[in-house]
Amino acid sequence: DVCSHGLGASLIMTQTRAFIHALAGAGHQPGDVLERLNAELVSDLDPLHYVTLILVKVDPETRLMQYISAGHPSGYVVDRSGVVLYDLPSMRVPLGFLPGQDYPMSEPIQLEDEDSIVLLSDGVMEAQDSEEEQFGHEKALEIVQQYHRESAKDIVGRIHEAVRIHAVDRPQEDDISAIICRVQNPRQG
């Protein structure tokens, strides 16, 4: 997520994605990618702009997950019954904010069959209703818990719909993004 809106923010996001893809594709480790990206953004951006992100790495063989969060809202690991197993809080300052930052990966988290990784943008949590009450991460997690047996795609759709209903009388001021990745047993397809 980029601090700001409009064309300038879109260009920063495009630059950020391209940089991540290029460095990750060249085999650099996630922490190194973010340290280099941070250095580039610090030199390119004015002090009012910065980028938050959460980068998740999952080994499909061992099902070990690690992440780095640079100022991004918390993510979550939720089990097959909808219980939050892990909160994935921000670990470091946003990218482009301060020079010389390091971005180490979290400790490994073991994922099990049907666990879900839930990642939400601040636009989900900060969407306001007519009385300026925010949607909040609690409501998003309630939806994940209530519909945990549905597909990840359907849960994302339910979150988006609930946010839009919550903010029905207000213009959409930020992106409403949710990503849900579910661990599947390879024997079950």
Side-chain angles (χ1 to χ4, degrees), residues 40-119:
E40 289 295 321
L41 291 174
V42 165
S43 68
D44 283 354
L45 300 180
D46 66 57
L48 299 176
H49 289 92
Y50 56 85
V51 175
T52 70
L53 72 80
I54 187 166
L55 180 69
V56 177
K57 177 182 174 184
V58 178
D59 181 323
E61 296 297 320
T62 64
R63 296 183 177 185
L64 288 176
M65 179 197 111
Q66 290 180 283
Y67 79 99
I68 303 170
S69 181
H72 203 71
S74 287
Y76 306 92
V77 175
V78 179
D79 75 7
R80 70 180 74 202
S81 61
V83 174
V84 175
L85 299 174
Y86 299 98
D87 181 21
L88 310 175
S90 180
M91 303 157 62
R92 294 290 193 255
V93 298
L95 300 165
F97 195 66
L98 293 172
Q101 297 298 300
D102 66 330
Y103 292 91
M105 296 290 285
S106 70
E107 291 297 317
I109 295 171
Q110 183 67 57
L111 301 173
E112 303 295 336
D113 283 351
E114 298 182 45
D115 283 353
S116 295
I117 302 167
V118 179
L119 307 173

Side-chain angles (χ1 to χ4, degrees), residues 139-159:
K139 288 181 186 173
L141 285 173
E142 285 173 12
I143 292 167
V144 171
Q145 292 166 339
Q146 181 177 357
Y147 298 104
H148 69 273
R149 296 201 182 276
E150 293 187 8
S151 72
K153 179 181 177 181
D154 288 344
I155 296 170
V156 167
R158 288 186 180 277
I159 291 170

Side-chain angles (χ1 to χ4, degrees), residues 113-182:
D113 283 351
E114 298 182 45
D115 283 353
S116 295
I117 302 167
V118 179
L119 307 173
L120 306 166
S121 70
D122 62 345
V124 171
M125 276 82 79
E126 296 172 2
Q128 295 181 348
D129 64 12
S130 58
E131 275 124 45
E132 298 184 2
E133 179 184 337
Q134 292 187 346
F135 187 76
H137 70 272
E138 297 89 0
K139 288 181 186 173
L141 285 173
E142 285 173 12
I143 292 167
V144 171
Q145 292 166 339
Q146 181 177 357
Y147 298 104
H148 69 273
R149 296 201 182 276
E150 293 187 8
S151 72
K153 179 181 177 181
D154 288 344
I155 296 170
V156 167
R158 288 186 180 277
I159 291 170
H160 188 267
E161 178 184 23
V163 171
R164 294 305 310 144
I165 289 169
H166 176 81
V168 70
D169 295 330
R170 304 211 28 151
Q172 182 175 333
E173 296 178 8
D174 203 352
D175 66 296
I176 300 171
S177 300
I179 298 171
I180 298 180
C181 302
R182 184 164 295 149

